[in-house]
């Protein structure tokens, strides 16, 4: 995992590990956390920890406590203070208001079912190669809703999410920056094509923010200049790169690591209790054994 020769970021490297306390960490998380810490260590930079707990329905304090216990057990040391997303809702609202002022945000009342139905109706197959894991690309139903209907729905208390008008956003971002791109330390300069995601949700119906919005704001606020995450999250960089341009944040560099799989070739999951770090620790596994299990020895 030596990567010193690849670092091109100016100034000290700042990496982070950003788990969600929605379950116990597993072996895949151990790999990811060690990966980020190692990059910071080799470059004599900083390693930060962030608790991504915007999802009120799934995040629980006992999981957050377990994250700290697990990471300490793994021998990781992070800078203080730990950033907890739930402490920063006002910052997300502030940045979202900027995007609203740019005319890039619109309310969306659609349910997932309605979106699927509409996609089928207009016979626009969901984008197959890069799709938002939560469903097909949004067909834009609420983007063209007239103002009266919109106000009526809001006055009736219909729940709504806030979506980014993607085409308009890209146009504006390209006025701010000549090119939308980021540096992948392994693959080189990458062009961002966030259009492939369509009008993404930036504030959910149940939360006044979203993963994309929060993560971009957090990384800028924490001055993270080197983002490491699993390959499964590579594609969201297209969206993040766009948001960084719109909000005038510098784009960090990126490195994507392999996603660990179990013996059956399946990705580790929080719901599989047998591979949680908590269980392995309680079973008396040593750190050397953990490192071996994830291919670091
Ligand atoms: N919180 C996200 C997760 O647990 C990862 C954060 C990120 O790297 O964007 O999968």
């Amino acid at each position: 995992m030596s990567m010193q020769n690849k670092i091109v970021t100016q100034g000290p490297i700042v990496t982070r590990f950003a788990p969600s306390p929605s379950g116990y960490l597993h072996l895949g998380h151990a790999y990811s956390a060690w990966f980020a810490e190692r990059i910071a260590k080799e470059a004599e930079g900083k390693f930060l920890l962030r608790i991504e707990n915007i999802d009120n329905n799934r995040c629980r304090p006992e999981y957050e406590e377990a994250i700290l216990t697990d990471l300490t057990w793994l021998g990781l040391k992070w800078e203080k203070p730990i950033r907890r997303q739930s402490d920063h809702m006002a910052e997300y609202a502030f940045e979202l208001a900027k995007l609203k002022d740019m005319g890039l945000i619109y309310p969306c009342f659609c349910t997932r079912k309605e979106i699927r139905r509409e996609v089928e109706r207009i016979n626009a197959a969901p984008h197959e190669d890069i799709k938002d894991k939560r469903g097909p690309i949004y067909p834009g139903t609420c983007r063209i809703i007239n103002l009266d209907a919109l106000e009526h729905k809001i006055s009736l208390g219909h729940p709504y999410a806030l979506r980014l008008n993607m085409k308009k956003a890209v146009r504006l971002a390209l006025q701010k920056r000549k090119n939308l791109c980021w540096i992948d330390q392994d693959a080189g300069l990458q062009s961002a094509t966030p259009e492939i995601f369509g009008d993404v949700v930036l504030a959910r119906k149940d939360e006044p923010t979203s993963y994309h919005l929060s993560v971009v704001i957090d990384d800028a606020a924490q001055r993270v200049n080197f983002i490491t995450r699993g390959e499964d999250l590579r594609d969201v960089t297209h969206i993040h790169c766009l948001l960084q341009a719109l909000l005038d944040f510098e784009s960090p560099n990126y490195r994507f690591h392999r996603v660990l799989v179990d013996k059956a070739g399946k990705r580790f999951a929080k719901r599989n209790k047998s591979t949680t770090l908590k269980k392995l620790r309680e079973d008396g596994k040593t750190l050397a054994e953990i490192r071996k299990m994830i291919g670091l020895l």
Side-chain angles (χ1 to χ4, degrees), residues 18-172:
S20 295
S22 55
Y24 293 115
L25 298 187
H26 51 62
L27 287 168
H29 290 111
Y31 181 77
S32 201
W34 267 328
F35 190 92
E37 196 219 25
R38 177 68 68 90
I39 287 184
K41 230 185 215 167
E42 287 188 356
E44 292 174 22
K46 289 182 180 177
F47 171 66
L48 312 182
L49 177 61
R50 180 164 77 231
I51 302 295
E52 301 212 325
N53 61 347
I54 54 169
D55 191 335
N56 262 329
N57 296 323
R58 294 170 60 228
C59 294
R60 301 227 298 258
E62 61 265 37
Y63 293 139
E64 187 172 327
E65 234 170 79
I67 287 174
L68 304 185
T69 311
D70 288 340
L71 296 181
T72 305
W73 179 61
L74 293 178
L76 290 156
K77 289 193 179 65
W78 52 88
E79 304 281 324
K80 306 281 178 323
I82 297 170
R83 184 174 170 103
R84 300 175 69 249
Q85 288 187 324
S86 55
D87 297 335
H88 298 276
M89 298 312 258
E91 284 167 54
Y92 308 142
F94 180 77
E95 299 296 340
L96 188 60
K98 283 194 203 163
L99 297 172
K100 274 185 204 161
D101 289 346
M102 293 177 211
L104 301 179
I105 301 292
Y106 66 90
C108 171
F109 301 88
C110 299
T111 60
R112 283 179 203 191
K113 207 166 153 191
E114 284 165 347
I115 295 172
R116 281 186 192 282
R117 223 184 287 137
E118 179 63 4
V119 168
E120 276 163 25
R121 194 186 67 77
I122 57 178
N123 200 21
H127 209 290
E128 283 307 332
D129 31 336
I130 299 178
K131 52 184 176 272
D132 186 330
K133 290 185 180 63
R134 276 151 282 163
I137 290 188
Y138 183 61
T141 321
C142 289
R143 196 192 320 122
I144 49 173
I145 205 167
N146 75 47
L147 204 61
D148 286 346
L150 185 92
E151 280 170 3
H152 183 61
K153 276 185 175 236
I154 292 180
S155 70
L156 290 178
H158 287 294
Y160 59 89
L162 294 175
R163 286 188 183 269
L164 183 70
N165 181 329
M166 183 57 82
K167 275 201 186 130
K168 217 170 156 186
V170 171
R171 232 181 291 132
L172 189 64

Side-chain angles (χ1 to χ4, degrees), residues 16 18-20 29 50 52 211 215 219 227-230 232-233 236 240 270:
R16 54 36 167 207
S20 295
H29 290 111
R50 180 164 77 231
E52 301 212 325
Y211 162 69
V215 102
D219 285 325
I227 293 180
T228 64
R229 50 166 76 114
D232 53 333
L233 285 175
V236 297
H240 298 182
K270 285 174 177 166

